[in-house]
Amino acid sequence: MSKRDLLSASDLGREELENILELTEQMRGKRNTKVLDGRTIGLLFFNRSLRTRVSFEVATVQLGGHCINIFADKEIYDMEPEDQVVMDGKAEEHVKDAAHTLSRYVDALGIRQLRRTESWEMDRHELLLHSYAEHANIPIINLESTLEHPCQAVADMVTMKRNLLNLKGRKFTLAWSDNPKPKNMGPCHSVLTLAATLGMDVTIAHPLGFELDEEIMTTVNARSEDSGGSLRVVNDLAEGARGTDVLYSRSWGAVKYWNDPEREAMVKRSLKSWLIDKETMDLTNNALFMHPLPLRRNVAASDEVVDSPRSVIYDQAENRVHAQKAILAHLMG
Ligand code: CP
């Protein structure tokens, strides 16, 4: 049987996603299973993490497996992901060789790499992640990349389902927020894809110029049409918030300023009002407040909102453990 990877939220069709959500609830209370007995998960981090790293370790332990963290910047060689290149530059090892080697040590490999070079076109291809997926013969799991954060999005779906039960026809708003530095779009693309897959009425609220990736938006739109949901984009926070059942806050950087963060910072000086406060929440249908974390308090959302009873941010974080137990069992069971 061929191995299964999870690189993108769109790797999960509706039925498979629903199976994983159901499995998550079965896994929730189980802290001592043998699903991964004797097996090892490798976690390769090129960037910082609190939730993803810890929740994957905990999930693996609760499945009876063992976890190894590999911190790419300190512990491994610079890697070349392109095929057929003369490796006389900075990279000392080819991903092909690292992937084959790691496949002999571990039973699945999670990778986090958020790239920001001069070129959005280059970064959006996620060469390193896809090169590992091509060359490894074990499951590769995306732990957040330039474009996607599928594990976060599955945990988000779990969190919404536990609060709203049936998600079809419920209103979901992704609202852009400010951040001093440009953030990647991964959690946004992945949660939109899965919300559309489950037939939610999706609104994206962002300032002009902060459009999401065109190709991913085409996928979200197609999924929305298939599921009987809807998709709209507005350029006003209040309009996006009005009547929604879920207000999901996250900052992301603009593609057009990808290689010019100083210019983006200047543009964002006039966007400070994109902060979710009680006034914004009062426009909603008593919405859940969601954010994948880390969150800058009183920049993305006010303390009052973040600490309110409708805020489910810590449930989202907890659900990472349960959802990832289900994902690991699904890919490796
Ligand atoms: N939400 C999330 O992925 O958090 P970390 O960056 O802390 O892993």
Side-chain angles (χ1 to χ4, degrees), residues 45 48-53 112 143-144 149 152 292-294 320:
F45 280 94
R48 291 172 193 213
S49 164
L50 188 152
R51 280 144 290 271
T52 305
R53 190 183 70 73
R112 168 172 287 193
L143 304 182
E144 193 174 3
H149 198 353
Q152 176 69 55
L293 302 179
R320 295 291 302 274

Side-chain angles (χ1 to χ4, degrees), residues 28-66:
R28 182 172 292 276
K30 297 195 176 128
R31 288 172 165 244
N32 193 12
T33 72
K34 301 279 179 217
V35 174
L36 294 184
D37 193 18
R39 290 198 272 178
T40 302
I41 311 295
L43 302 179
L44 178 53
F45 280 94
F46 290 80
N47 310 85
R48 291 172 193 213
S49 164
L50 188 152
R51 280 144 290 271
T52 305
R53 190 183 70 73
V54 177
S55 62
F56 253 99
E57 280 202 49
V58 171
T60 305
V61 167
Q62 291 189 7
L63 293 177
H66 184 76

Side-chain angles (χ1 to χ4, degrees), residues 109-241:
L109 182 67
I111 301 174
R112 168 172 287 193
Q113 193 198 36
L114 312 173
R115 251 171 92 79
R116 182 172 280 270
T117 67
E118 290 289 293
S119 162
W120 161 254
E121 274 312 314
M122 198 162 90
D123 294 345
R124 75 173 302 290
H125 287 297
E126 305 184 328
L127 254 185
L128 182 125
L129 178 71
H130 288 276
S131 182
Y132 267 102
E134 182 189 344
H135 295 300
N137 42 38
I138 50 173
I140 299 295
I141 303 170
N142 183 352
L143 304 182
E144 193 174 3
S145 60
T146 305
L147 282 182
E148 295 266 1
H149 198 353
C151 297
Q152 176 69 55
V154 173
D156 295 338
M157 293 302 119
V158 169
T159 308
M160 282 192 267
K161 244 180 118 57
R162 286 177 70 78
N163 283 278
L164 303 174
L165 306 178
N166 189 4
L167 298 185
K168 190 165 167 53
R170 301 306 291 260
K171 292 185 170 60
F172 173 90
T173 298
L174 169 68
W176 181 90
S177 65
D178 189 18
N179 197 72
K181 287 185 184 166
K183 301 277 287 182
N184 71 314
M185 302 169 191
C188 309
H189 289 152
S190 295
V191 76
L192 288 172
T193 303
L194 297 193
T197 304
L198 294 184
M200 298 185 84
D201 289 328
V202 173
T203 297
I204 307 166
H206 64 71
L208 271 173
F210 285 78
E211 290 73 25
L212 289 162
D213 182 72
E214 257 177 55
E215 218 173 280
I216 303 256
M217 289 308 294
T218 303
T219 303
V220 173
N221 198 29
R223 292 225 167 183
S224 200
E225 282 176 5
D226 279 357
S227 67
S230 65
L231 174 64
R232 67 174 184 145
V233 179
V234 298
N235 298 126
D236 183 82
L237 178 59
E239 194 183 341

Side-chain angles (χ1 to χ4, degrees), residues 246-295:
V246 178
L247 195 50
Y248 192 109
S249 163
R250 179 60 158 68
S251 188
W252 65 87
V255 168
K256 68 178 179 186
Y257 306 125
W258 192 251
N259 58 3
D260 194 354
E262 286 82 18
R263 175 104 182 96
E264 180 171 312
M266 273 172 57
V267 170
K268 287 196 294 193
R269 277 188 211 151
S270 63
L271 300 174
K272 303 290 173 202
S273 60
W274 284 77
L275 173 145
I276 297 175
D277 55 13
K278 184 173 176 303
E279 218 172 46
T280 319
M281 293 304 290
D282 285 346
L283 296 170
T284 70
N285 182 27
N286 194 26
L288 299 173
F289 172 76
M290 298 183 72
H291 192 292
L293 302 179
L295 175 155

